[in-house]
Amino acid sequence: MRSRAGAELRADAARNRARILQVAREQLAAGDNSLQLNSIARLAGVGVGTVYRHFPNRHALVEALSVERFRELVQEARAAAEAEDALAGLHRLLRFALDRALDDADFAAVLESTGDVGAQTSELRAELDEAVAGLLDRASLTGAIRRGIEADDVRRLLCGVEHAVRSGDSDRRELYLGVLLEGLRPPR
């Protein structure tokens, strides 16, 4: 297991990191979204300094917890990019991503964050952007979507839909997603 700096973690440090993540997942499963680092340290049986060495702030912990969801999203983006019908692949990917973001607000925050992100999140975002860019290029070449749409545009627009659904009526989810999908199409 690698630390944030990329060096191999000692066995005890790797165990501590895994225990911290396990406790954080248990807290989330129990409905406690606060992820207070001091509380997690106590529950994990480690010093608070140990928690802060691995996760300097709550966002770093949330990023680590979101890795598996991010990997699922990257896999879905790659599958969508290989779909025979690029537009259908894009529709499927956007629905998948929206479902995951609505299911996990912390993951949604990691997905939309643009500033200080960890190395693993940066790598996953680059993989996601590469797959989405390939999908968008194919869809654009066939005339299914307007030209000039980039992966970052799609991520930002999807985050807007996620916010609209969260702040309004969840029954409007399909309507909002449909508006996004229609907006990606070329002008008529």
Side-chain angles (χ1 to χ4, degrees):
M1 179 172 292
R2 296 188 176 272
S3 72
R4 292 179 311 136
E8 290 292 324
L9 290 177
R10 295 184 332 240
D12 61 332
R15 279 191 304 274
N16 286 342
R17 186 178 195 283
R19 178 72 182 132
I20 292 163
L21 289 169
Q22 175 187 351
V23 167
R25 283 188 193 97
E26 290 168 359
Q27 293 293 104
L28 291 172
D32 180 359
N33 295 355
S34 67
L35 294 179
Q36 297 293 319
L37 298 183
N38 291 351
S39 175
I40 289 171
R42 182 179 45 76
L43 293 169
V46 299
V48 90
T50 299
V51 173
Y52 279 95
R53 262 190 304 283
H54 290 284
F55 309 104
N57 53 48
R58 182 184 187 281
H59 187 75
L61 177 59
V62 167
E63 279 189 45
L65 292 168
S66 297
V67 164
E68 194 56 39
R69 282 197 184 260
F70 222 125
R71 284 187 180 134
E72 290 172 359
L73 184 56
V74 168
Q75 285 180 318
E76 188 66 26
R78 287 179 177 150
E82 294 174 7
E84 188 173 323
D85 180 343
L87 187 59
L90 180 60
H91 286 202
R92 189 180 77 228
L93 174 61
L94 291 176
R95 280 193 173 81
F96 181 89
L98 181 60
D99 288 345
R100 295 312 174 276
L102 289 170
D103 184 49
D104 186 343
D106 287 325
F107 173 66
V110 170
L111 190 60
E112 73 183 54
S113 65
T114 58
D116 188 24
V117 296
Q120 191 169 32
T121 299
S122 292
E123 289 172 20
L124 288 167
R125 179 167 289 141
E127 290 177 37
L128 177 63
D129 286 351
E130 182 181 337
V132 172
L135 175 60
L136 295 173
D137 287 347
R138 284 188 46 233
S140 178
L141 286 173
T142 64
I145 67 167
R146 61 180 65 218
R147 296 195 183 279
I149 300 292
E150 297 178 2
D152 193 50
D153 298 324
V154 172
R155 181 176 34 254
R156 290 171 190 264
L157 291 167
L158 189 63
C159 288
V161 170
E162 180 258 336
H163 177 74
V165 171
R166 260 189 217 288
S167 66
D169 183 356
S170 63
D171 291 340
R172 315 268 301 161
R173 173 187 171 276
E174 286 301 315
L175 173 68
Y176 297 158
L177 189 56
V179 169
L180 169 59
L181 294 169
E182 188 61 33
L184 293 174
R185 297 180 67 79
R188 293 179 195 164

